[in-house]
Amino acid sequence: LPPVLLQKLLYLAIEITVALANGQNPSVWEVKEPWKLLFSVLEGIGKGLGWSICKNISKSKPDNIINSLSGIQRNALQSDPESSQFLQFFYCALVTCFQAIYQYDALLNERDKNFILVEAFVTHESDSKQKRRKTSEDSLTPLISHGSATCGSDDPLIMEFQIACGAWQLLSPPSPPARFHNLLNRLSVSCGSLDAITKFNIDYLLQVGQFRECLQELRQYHFTGGEKKDSAWTNLKLCIAHYCMGDYRSAAQSAVECLQHYDDLTPASPTQAGAQT
């Protein structure tokens, strides 16, 4: 098949998988592992296009894929957008990124829907209250913003978030490729609102300290596409971003608005009631 047709088929496979992940699964048939199938499609089409990085990609772990793509990122993004070097990097990074984001979103919905967790507004001291110099290992420890107080970096939710962040960084350097924005726009038209991707991007921007950009994303999400049931979540994220920027008045206002929508959240069980920080 001609390369142009193979690329169209790959886009259609991505479009169908995102639609399935968005809950648009027809009742007459079911795909149990759509992302696994998509990686197999990517490997097969990549073979037909001569994309060497797609070899055995369906059997590779996401972090290994990200490491491989990181090695060619700069050269790929600087090459012609229609070149084989760019296209194989772009589609491999895109599929890896989408899979991690939607798996992260699924874990949140399945396990953490009874919690809203925020970046702490106070500095917690250890019981010994002994201060020590911060080490390089400390700086590599991710901010745990979801899950129980005892979860660590080996928690599936944290691991999936880290994978999603690594893949997202491949496609969102200081200047993301125009093809990425165009593809997201096309998918939002054919697959519906990409809330999982938008909400992940908000979490990512908070994580890396890009609070001003986070505010812009939150306002757009809230006023143009955010569902009413997300009002508590949106206002809490606004509260965090305002607080981290030093705008305490706006943070307090968002906190009050969050509490006004608290009853909209999924009721928690007696052992899970309340918020954690």
Side-chain angles (χ1 to χ4, degrees):
L1 295 177
V4 175
L5 181 56
L6 288 174
Q7 291 178 34
K8 288 183 178 180
L9 292 174
L10 179 56
Y11 171 78
L12 287 174
I14 294 172
E15 184 179 52
I16 291 172
T17 305
V18 172
L20 293 173
N22 271 357
Q24 301 178 19
N25 198 346
S27 57
V28 294
W29 52 275
E30 181 180 1
V31 179
K32 294 183 178 180
E33 296 181 294
W35 295 109
K36 183 177 180 180
L37 179 59
L38 179 58
F39 270 102
S40 297
V41 172
L42 174 61
E43 182 175 322
I45 291 180
K47 182 178 180 180
L49 292 169
W51 293 351
S52 59
I53 201 168
C54 291
K55 184 178 180 180
N56 297 324
I57 195 171
S58 63
K59 301 178 181 65
S60 302
K61 294 182 179 180
D63 50 351
N64 292 336
I65 298 174
I66 293 171
N67 289 335
S68 297
L69 293 173
S70 297
I72 64 171
Q73 179 188 27
R74 176 176 295 184
N75 291 335
L77 293 179
Q78 291 177 350
S79 62
D80 188 308
E82 298 300 327
S83 68
S84 176
Q85 184 180 23
F86 177 90
L87 291 173
Q88 65 176 314
F89 166 83
F90 176 78
Y91 281 108
C92 290
L94 184 76
V95 173
T96 304
C97 183
F98 279 6
Q99 180 197 39
I101 288 176
Y102 277 99
Q103 288 185 348
Y104 168 69
D105 184 68
L107 284 172
L108 283 177
N109 291 333
E110 291 173 5
R111 196 188 68 183
D112 277 9
K113 60 185 177 182
N114 294 325
F115 297 94
I116 291 185
L117 307 174
V118 303
E119 181 171 350
F121 292 159
V122 296
T123 301
H124 297 287
E125 296 182 359
S126 62
D127 294 337
S128 61
K129 296 185 179 181
Q130 293 180 352
K131 295 183 178 180
R132 62 182 178 85
R133 179 174 297 180
K134 189 175 182 181
T135 66
S136 58
E137 290 183 359
D138 293 330
S139 63
L140 295 175
T141 302
L143 169 66
I144 297 178
S145 57
H146 297 284
S148 67
T150 58
C151 71
S153 58
D154 59 343
D155 181 273
L157 183 63
I158 303 302
M159 294 173 66
E160 205 63 56
F161 180 69
Q162 289 179 302
I163 292 172
C165 287
W168 189 255
Q169 289 169 345
L170 293 173
L171 294 169
S172 296
S175 172
R179 184 183 292 267
F180 185 42
H181 291 297
N182 293 337
L183 188 142
L184 289 176
N185 290 334
R186 290 175 63 187
L187 288 176
S188 64
V189 172
S190 59
C191 303
S193 180
L194 305 177
D195 284 353
I197 297 175
T198 301
K199 294 174 77 172
F200 164 78
N201 186 37
I202 290 169
D203 279 345
Y204 172 78
L205 292 172
L206 283 176
Q207 176 75 12
V208 299
Q210 297 181 19
F211 305 120
R212 194 173 301 278
E213 293 82 355
C214 179
L215 283 175
Q216 294 175 353
E217 286 290 318
L218 279 164
R219 287 166 179 160
Q220 183 177 1
Y221 173 73
H222 184 60
F223 294 113
T224 63
E227 298 181 12
K228 196 171 183 179
K229 66 180 180 181
D230 286 333
S231 294
W233 180 91
T234 304
N235 281 292
L236 181 55
K237 298 293 182 178
L238 284 169
C239 175
I240 299 170
H242 283 304
Y243 183 89
C244 292
M245 293 178 65
D247 186 355
Y248 304 126
R249 177 176 295 181
S250 297
Q253 181 179 353
S254 295
V256 171
E257 293 181 9
C258 171
L259 292 175
Q260 291 175 346
H261 296 282
Y262 185 77
D263 291 338
D264 296 339
L265 300 174
T266 303
S269 64
T271 59
Q272 294 179 314
Q276 297 180 355
T277 58

